[in-house]
Amino acid sequence: MLEELVEGIAYYFIVVVTSSALYTYFLFRASKVLEEGFPSVFIRLALGLFVYTAIHSSLGLLSRYSEFLYSCMPDVVLYTLAILVLALVAGIILGSRAVCGALSVLGSSITRKLLGVLSEGEVEGHRFWLCSRCPIGVFTSFTGSEVYVHTRLAEVLSREELKSALLREAFRREDRFLSIVDAASTLSWCLAVILFALLSACLPGLHAGAYLNAAAATVAASTVGWIREHAADLRCAELSNPEHLLSAVAKAYRVALEESRSAVEKHVENVEAVYSNTVHCFKVNIERALGEYFANLVIPSLVLHVRRDPPPVVRAVAMCGKHKYL
């Protein structure tokens, strides 16, 4: 037990340090989007290796407990199904982008019914569905065939802001490499969390190694997801007015806070810097960006919560690295 705990702590620490270094390097290179293409070959190789390590760790842990889990059949199957159903229900209720996006595998009609789709819209060739039970924001289905916009957000966005948000989703879908890496990291996280849940259900006790492996997988999945979102932001900012995209991001964040009854007032201060009628980029040091990284990604990883979107302040840091509106 002690050996497993030490291994788990060491692995989690290595993942946190690696992801922090990779993310910091990413922010420093964000301004090179035109000069060398983005993300760079180094970033792509690093992300691929990072995700491979996370998958390898989860598979190694699964192999260690494979005989025990096999001996617990069919309970393992029933527990797994129960976990997936609970995750699906919780994801829809809490507005998880990953869960709601994955609903597309059930078919368009079922997805639209579960997300409370009200009507279809279009802005300069970009089609979308307005929904009342989807996450507050703009997101694309797992299959990439449909884009959903929450009705509350659609009410506050201008036409140009909505166009920028939809254009950004189009760029997000086009990057096949980041899509595959993001999907792989998410599946690795699912495997790690389900394994920890199964061990806790079938073998009562503290499974520190499995828990820390799941926490590390959470950091990996969130980091890859953030970099993918940044890459889409940067491509969109290069071809359209970045102020419209920044304003749309800030408004989505603010609406989400207003919708949440438990939102703490001080959190609203985080978005005031980029939330205004005319958005201006501003100088923010890397130290603050890393502070947001730890507060919104690394710390929540300890409760196995994957955050798909970077905070608006950090998104502004990346975009303003290229566009100086001071």
Side-chain angles (χ1 to χ4, degrees):
M1 179 66 70
L2 181 60
E3 182 181 355
E4 183 179 346
L5 175 61
V6 172
E7 288 179 357
I9 292 175
Y11 177 64
Y12 179 75
F13 178 77
I14 291 172
V15 169
V16 168
V17 171
T18 303
S19 64
S20 301
L22 182 60
Y23 191 69
T24 304
Y25 178 81
F26 181 93
L27 290 179
F28 271 120
R29 303 299 293 178
S31 62
K32 301 298 183 181
V33 60
L34 286 182
E35 288 84 347
E36 62 184 34
F38 200 75
S40 65
V41 174
F42 174 80
I43 287 288
R44 291 176 181 271
L45 289 174
L47 284 177
L49 181 60
F50 191 44
V51 173
Y52 172 79
T53 303
I55 295 174
H56 184 270
S57 176
S58 295
L59 291 177
L61 199 60
L62 178 63
S63 176
R64 180 185 302 179
Y65 289 101
S66 60
E67 292 185 6
F68 167 74
L69 293 175
Y70 182 77
S71 67
C72 294
M73 295 292 182
D75 290 344
V76 169
V77 176
L78 294 176
Y79 284 141
T80 302
L81 291 176
I83 292 169
L84 292 175
V85 171
L86 288 174
L88 177 63
V89 174
I92 295 175
I93 294 175
L94 297 176
S96 168
R97 281 187 56 185
V99 172
C100 292
L103 288 175
S104 59
V105 300
L106 301 177
S108 297
S109 59
I110 297 177
T111 302
R112 293 171 190 170
K113 187 174 182 180
L114 290 174
L115 296 182
V117 168
L118 303 176
S119 61
E120 185 178 11
E122 182 176 343
V123 176
E124 298 186 20
H126 299 285
R127 302 178 66 182
F128 61 92
W129 293 94
L130 285 172
C131 56
S132 59
R133 290 196 294 270
C134 61
I136 294 179
V138 181
F139 76 101
T140 306
S141 64
F142 184 76
T143 58
S145 58
E146 295 182 333
V147 179
Y148 299 93
V149 181
H150 196 280
T151 52
R152 281 279 287 110
L153 180 61
E155 292 172 0
V156 301
L157 292 183
S158 68
R159 182 178 179 85
E160 289 299 323
E161 290 168 346
L162 180 57
K163 176 186 173 183
S164 291
L166 294 172
L167 179 63
R168 178 198 169 283
E169 286 300 305
F171 282 116
R172 185 175 177 274
R173 293 194 303 271
E174 287 179 0
D175 196 319
R176 296 299 181 187
F177 174 82
L178 288 180
S179 297
I180 293 172
V181 173
D182 191 17
S185 64
T186 302
L187 290 175
S188 173
W189 175 80
C190 290
L191 175 61
V193 172
I194 290 175
L195 179 59
F196 171 64
L198 286 176
L199 290 176
S200 300
C202 299
L203 187 62
L206 178 63
H207 303 283
Y211 162 72
L212 290 167
N213 178 69
T218 305
V219 173
S222 298
T223 302
V224 173
W226 281 26
I227 289 178
R228 184 185 181 191
E229 300 301 326
H230 281 311
D233 285 345
L234 289 164
R235 290 193 177 93
C236 181
E238 290 298 337
L239 296 180
S240 64
N241 190 333
E243 293 190 10
H244 293 148
L245 180 58
L246 272 172
S247 183
V249 168
K251 287 182 178 180
Y253 184 65
R254 191 178 183 93
V255 169
L257 287 177
E258 292 172 349
E259 288 287 302
S260 175
R261 298 287 184 182
S262 61
V264 181
E265 288 242 352
K266 66 177 182 179
H267 286 181
V268 179
E269 297 175 2
N270 293 336
V271 78
E272 292 297 339
V274 291
Y275 180 75
S276 61
N277 292 328
T278 303
V279 179
H280 294 277
C281 287
F282 53 93
K283 290 183 178 179
V284 181
N285 56 37
I286 293 296
E287 287 79 6
R288 181 177 177 183
L290 280 179
E292 294 279 348
Y293 177 81
F294 274 85
N296 291 276
L297 188 156
V298 176
I299 294 176
S301 73
L302 297 176
V303 292
L304 310 184
H305 170 64
V306 174
R307 172 161 182 168
R308 307 303 303 178
D309 293 323
V313 169
V314 182
R315 294 177 73 170
V317 170
M319 279 189 277
C320 293
K322 186 64 186 177
H323 303 274
K324 301 295 184 183
Y325 297 97
L326 299 175

